[in-house]
Amino acid sequence: MPPRSAPSSAAQGLDWRSVEPAPLVLVQGTEGLLADRAVARVVERLRENDPETERVDLEAATYEAGMLSVATSPSLFGEAKVVILRGAEACSDAFVTDMVAYAEAPDPGTTVVVVHGGGQRGKKMLDAIRRSGAPVVACEPVKKDADRAAFVLAEFRAASRRIDQAAVRALVEALGNDLRELASACSQLVTDTTGSVTVAVVDRYYGGRVEATGFRVADEAVAGNTGEAVALLRHALDTGADPVPLVAALAMKLRALAKVAAMRGSGGPSAKELGLAPWQIDRAKRELNRWTPEGLAAAILAVAQADEEVKGGGRDPVFAVERAVLTVARSSGR
């Protein structure tokens, strides 16, 4: 396998889908799914070039001095080698020392991938890796619904399949809090279905999840449908839902309304600055037709109080979330 020269710093800030093998690669961020995919892509690309590529896995937390030197030494039969160093966010001091030295002159015939789950531990090592010009793959949490929807679309594009926008929304509402679960659902739909994936298809597989999520509870509460909101809430709680994410869904819904309401004034934020997808903005505009500023303020205060109580500030989290749902629903149209 021909030697690979270190890339320039211009290669930094990569998405996991575009990272290529290099003598040294840094995969950094708290989203484990994306980190795993970045590592898998590097290994896959190496084995496309040389199917006999040897893989060595080491844990940075239990690393002892000299282990990197042994791991990167030439294979007995001269095969290419990739060394995966996981858990660098909890690395030993010996790991930092050896990686700083290695980053100064990485072996061009070996690929070393350092996986760091975030935080300041090992900063000296991280700085040394970046100075080397190594590509850096950002694996940060996917927090916005717009980004989760983009993730779903990318999953289906990669599988050469189509999914309706409404079906994307349904998947995100049902499973968007857990990126691994969302990715697994995309994989299942690609494998088990044919043709374009529609809302009906998503509902057939995940309808129960969609109907009982905090997002559906929030939708009904914001629409002023008190009875339906409470029924969905109780069903969600009866099937094991935790009050904390239920309150978080209410808060997310009200934040979207408040953000879009701010657009109405002169000098307000643009749609791009809101961090919302176009469909979310359109929906919020329709929903705001039944809300007054006073009602929205009352709902936001109620959810803020519930958020504090379900996180330890109150004695009865279930009562706190139910009271918040009732307040939101009754504030709609007021």
Side-chain angles (χ1 to χ4, degrees):
M1 181 176 179
R4 296 178 304 279
S5 59
S8 68
S9 59
Q12 294 185 2
L14 297 173
D15 177 82
W16 73 267
R17 296 180 186 275
S18 58
V19 63
E20 295 290 341
L24 187 55
V25 178
L26 175 60
V27 177
Q28 186 175 18
T30 58
E31 181 47 70
L33 172 69
L34 301 184
D36 289 347
R37 287 189 169 188
V39 171
R41 175 178 164 84
V42 170
V43 174
E44 179 183 6
R45 298 291 282 174
L46 285 167
R47 288 182 171 164
E48 285 175 359
N49 186 73
D50 183 352
E52 301 302 319
T53 297
E54 179 185 355
R55 173 172 174 163
V56 179
D57 287 87
L58 297 175
E59 286 294 330
T62 56
Y63 180 93
E64 296 180 2
M67 293 177 71
L68 180 59
S69 178
V70 173
T72 57
S73 61
S75 299
L76 183 61
F77 298 104
E79 302 97 341
K81 183 180 286 189
V82 55
V83 179
I84 313 298
L85 296 156
R86 292 187 179 274
E89 71 280 3
C91 60
S92 65
D93 291 340
F95 180 81
V96 173
T97 299
D98 285 3
M99 274 307 310
V100 169
Y102 187 83
E104 293 179 358
D107 181 356
T110 300
T111 294
V112 173
V113 182
V114 178
V115 184
H116 190 286
Q120 293 301 307
R121 177 67 177 167
K123 184 177 184 302
K124 182 179 179 181
M125 169 201 64
L126 295 174
D127 291 342
I129 293 174
R130 290 193 178 91
R131 283 197 304 270
S132 76
V136 179
V137 185
C139 301
E140 297 306 321
V142 181
K143 295 181 178 179
K144 296 179 181 178
D145 278 352
D147 293 335
R148 293 179 180 126
F151 175 84
V152 170
L153 288 171
E155 293 290 284
F156 278 83
R157 276 198 300 270
S160 300
R161 290 289 300 279
R162 293 179 59 84
I163 180 170
D164 295 350
Q165 284 289 343
V168 172
R169 292 199 295 272
L171 264 183
V172 170
E173 287 181 358
L175 305 163
N177 288 334
D178 188 323
L179 199 64
R180 285 190 185 276
E181 197 169 11
L182 190 58
S184 178
C186 292
S187 177
Q188 182 179 24
L189 289 172
V190 166
T191 302
D192 293 355
T193 68
T194 58
S196 182
V197 174
T198 63
V199 170
V201 173
V202 172
D203 188 61
R204 186 165 71 245
Y205 280 80
Y206 304 104
R209 291 289 300 275
V210 173
E211 290 166 6
T213 62
F215 296 105
R216 284 299 177 92
V217 174
D219 286 344
E220 296 297 338
V222 165
N225 300 327
T226 306
E228 185 66 19
V230 172
L232 281 170
L233 172 65
R234 289 174 178 169
H235 175 65
L237 292 168
D238 289 344
T239 54
D242 188 277
V244 173
L246 291 171
V247 172
L250 280 170
M252 185 181 301
K253 184 78 175 181
L254 292 172
R255 279 198 301 271
L257 291 182
K259 286 180 178 180
V260 174
M263 291 175 61
R264 294 177 171 179
S266 59
S270 66
K272 183 177 181 180
E273 292 171 335
L274 294 179
L276 299 173
W279 64 266
Q280 290 176 299
I281 295 174
D282 291 341
R283 183 173 183 172
K285 286 179 178 177
R286 293 193 300 271
E287 290 169 335
L288 280 169
N289 289 330
R290 61 175 294 112
W291 282 84
T292 64
E294 294 76 17
L296 187 56
I300 290 172
L301 286 174
V303 172
Q305 180 182 350
D307 184 67
E308 179 182 355
E309 292 179 4
V310 299
K311 291 178 179 177
R315 294 183 178 181
D316 191 340
V318 171
F319 173 76
V321 67
E322 185 165 318
R323 184 185 60 203
V325 168
L326 287 169
T327 301
V328 171
R330 291 167 181 170
S331 297
S332 176
R334 193 173 73 185

